[in-house]
Amino acid sequence: DYKAEYKLSTVLGKPFPWGVGGERWAELIREKTDGRINVKMYPGTSLVNGDQTKEFTALRQGVIDLAIGSTINWSPQVKELNLFSLPFLMPDYKAIDALTRGPVGEELFRILSTKDVEPLAWGENGFRELSNSRHPVRTPADLKGLKVRVVGSPLFLDTFTALGANPTQMSWADAQPALSTGAVDGQENPLSVFVAAKMATLNQKNLTLWGYVADPLIFVVNKEVWNSWSPEDREAVRAAALQAAEEEVALARKGIAGDDTSVLSDIEGTGVSVVRLTEEEKDAFRQATRAVYDKWARQIGPDLVKQAETSIADRN
Amino acid sequence: MATGILFLGFLALMLIGAPLAVALGLAGSLAILDAQLGILSVPTNVYTGIAKYPLLAIPVFILAGLIFERAGVAGRIVAFASSLVGPRNGGLAVVAILVCMVMGGISGSGPADAAAVATVMIPSMRKAGYPAPFSAGVIAAAAATAILIPPSVAFIIYSVLVPQASVPALFAAGVVPGLLAGLSLIVPTVWLARRHGFGLVDTGPRPPVWESFKGAIWGLLAPVIILGGLRTGLFTPTEAAVVAVFYGLAVGLFIYRTLTWRALYEALAEAAEMAAVVLLILALASVFAWAGSTLGAFDRLAGAAVAATGNETLILILLNLALLALGMVLDAVSIFLILLPLLVPIMQAFGWDPVWFGAMITMNLAIGQFTPPLAVNLMVTTRVAGVTIESTVPWVLWMVAAMLGALALVVAFPGLSLWLPRTLGYL
Amino acid sequence: MPPIPGPEEDPDAPRVPVTIERALAALAMAAICLVTFGNVVVRYFTNVSFAFTEEYAIFLMVVMTFLGSAAAVAADRHIRITALVDRLPRAWRRWTDVAAWTSALIMFAVIIWYGGRLTYDQWRFEETSPGLGNPQWLYTVWMPVLAGVVALRVLGRIVRLLRRRRA
Ligand code: NA
Ligand code: NA
């Protein structure tokens, strides 16, 4: 018994890679199921009134049928997803891939599938970089006393507190005026968000590429909805998710990773000074947040964290 | 089918006199059930509809307004304004308008402003020879500027529903339209007072300017602190509201020494109840809005409206007429919650500036606050004056006409509202 | 916008005084102000982060909404349009009132029941709050519980309406 329309939830819409990926998934599903499954995307987590951290619960309850969710937003319901928010766990893109495409990814999918959802593919929101209106940040000491807006997870409060900053939890709607008036000094987000939200116009003139955490996205379907589909349609939806996710990851890394760094030069063109940390400089931040890492590794599960560290060490 | 249940259900429930919040929430729930969208979206929406940080500013600004009222700020501003205007024909009525505007710079809601000023001014206006229905009409109209002159509960809600428009930008955009709206009222007020010979009774000596200024300065500083704090980035809107509360407390307890602990408790309880009424509507309207947008009902309606008229000027005029008509029977917050999901697609279709649009709608709804038959501000002032709403009609219609003139200017010249937010760098 | 003053001498005045709801709502309001003000003070005068308290302030606002709504039901201060039903004959008017308040009772029953389901799900799945990592159900459970208080106030209105008819 198929519904006339299935609701797909995302946090960002077009032109963010996240939103492009969502529309692409919907389009591919329609194609591959010959129109039997009709998906409509609702960006801005509008299906949960914009409250990103309620998305997973709504998904599990069937209020949302499909979602491309962020590991940060779903961590209140799936504590293991905090793994990706462990400070300085993943040094580069290959490390992200080693996790999502290896045994860690499989284990996380197994955990998710016990929570009434069918996980299908890994997408990407990207490494989260730090910006502020005061001065360039090169060492943990530069962060001292900076008021930084962070997203909702106690782990982020711990990380920034350990670095001597003053983290403030704030919704996005509140963050923009707070940044423009200087009530808050800094923020952290993927570069794609930095660009699309025109952070330079919000006085965010100092950008530090420290890649302290990355935020993979997960393509999922509500279990009950999944089970209501025929086996061939399920495979079609899975194939569509894999294809859309691959395109989305490529788009998220375009102009940032590898030889093409056009996004960074565009950012510098708007008068933003970009600080690229050396390995030694990064290490200072890593040392400063070590206690937070260890504390949260215990909460996430030592075995999973160990596996992640091994996968990253073995990446080629 | 579900769309029909949504709109007709809401209409039916509203007409039998169900609380507006219930009419919105129940119609939304029934539509969600009918379309099998997942009934658990109802409790989720109710909770997330209220549990938003920016909304904290609403109860706190309401409380700030009440504390300043209980502290006796209005009376001192009246004395100061009287000392400036002097015992002229119609002078006291002009004072009432100016005081409403200053108090509007502290209070975020029209009825709260109306209550604060009416209690102080209507008795003295009666002594000076103004008929009570006239006074009630003038104060109700002038108090409507409270939702335009920052802070404004209406703007906070608009910003939550239309995130592209930030609260500081909206607050700035309301200043000039608010001043324009208030000043426009002076014309019919003075003209009517002169024509009918109101306010000719001598009510004693003119208060000394410097002495009354020293009394009023603490109240006059409040808007400066609120706006200055927002502008310099010292506070977020919520923090500005709470700073205003503690400032008002300090003035009432230690400077004027008029505020008792009992009065403070009453202010807390009353503000909580007033805020609860607004927030319950917000909570249950989010069920209605969720059902409507998930069903695609708002997009279809907006598309039909754009297609049917097609012409930007025409749709702008029709929109204003519709808002004015609704403003006669509903209050501003409810109209925002019911109409914005429908209006935002229209706004986007024509590429209107969301900040200007917010200022325009809010000005429209301000007029509705004193347009009979259902006019929240008039309800408050007529209750204080002990007259009927009907008796104010011959006077109030002139006020409506004057503020419509100011509205026409704001609609025709977007620069009037957008100049300040641009100058302050919010746009 | 409120306040729409309630009738001065309300024949439907409740027998259980609303003092408790009013006092608790006032307390919630005071707590919201203290928490938010504390946040401002600490943020500007120290380098300590106090921002987590936002989670409590927002939760208190939900509590205040339902408590204040209960008091507003008792005093008939919720915004509703009675212009039309006021023109009906007295006997009809009574029934539209009963219907209007019954619809309110249904609405709050929906919040009690499904709000309970939501709380149960959050407990069952050990969901934590995004800011502080507290069990989320500890916050949510107050929505159905306090919706129950509002529902009792609504029920009180309906009972008094029906009694008045018999008298
Ligand atoms: Na105001
Ligand atoms: Na009106």
Side-chain angles (χ1 to χ4, degrees), chain B residues 153-254:
Chain B
V153 169
F155 281 145
I156 296 168
I157 289 172
Y158 181 87
S159 170
V160 168
L161 297 173
V162 186
Q164 309 97 288
S166 75
V167 170
L170 286 164
F171 277 11
V175 172
V176 173
L179 296 179
L180 220 56
L183 297 178
S184 75
L185 295 174
I186 293 181
V187 179
T189 301
V190 170
W191 177 68
L192 288 169
R194 296 252 154 106
R195 206 177 94 170
H196 298 280
F198 298 157
L200 290 174
V201 182
D202 188 15
T203 51
R206 182 174 176 165
V209 174
W210 178 241
E211 279 303 307
S212 44
F213 173 74
K214 278 197 292 189
I217 181 67
W218 300 105
L220 293 171
L221 274 177
V224 178
I225 291 171
I226 293 169
L227 286 184
L230 283 176
R231 172 64 205 121
T232 55
L234 221 48
F235 319 127
T236 65
T238 305
E239 292 170 351
V242 85
V243 168
V245 162
F246 281 86
Y247 174 74
L249 268 182
V251 170
L253 288 174
F254 306 121

Side-chain angles (χ1 to χ4, degrees), chain B residues 67-89:
Chain B
I67 285 182
F68 276 94
E69 182 206 329
R70 303 290 145 88
V73 167
R76 286 169 170 88
I77 295 175
V78 168
F80 177 55
S82 307
S83 75
L84 289 181
V85 174
R88 269 164 253 225
N89 189 197

Side-chain angles (χ1 to χ4, degrees), chain C residues 55 122-123 126-129 132-140:
Chain C
E55 190 168 297
Q122 291 177 344
W123 173 77
E126 297 179 348
E127 191 175 315
T128 53
S129 68
L132 298 176
N134 292 329
Q136 182 66 42
W137 70 269
L138 282 175
Y139 297 116
T140 315

Side-chain angles (χ1 to χ4, degrees), chain B residues 327-328 368 371 374-375:
Chain B
M328 284 187 202
T371 317
L374 194 137

Side-chain angles (χ1 to χ4, degrees), chain A residues 94 98 311-316:
Chain A
K94 278 192 179 142
S311 297
I312 290 171
D314 294 347
R315 75 188 186 280
N316 33 49

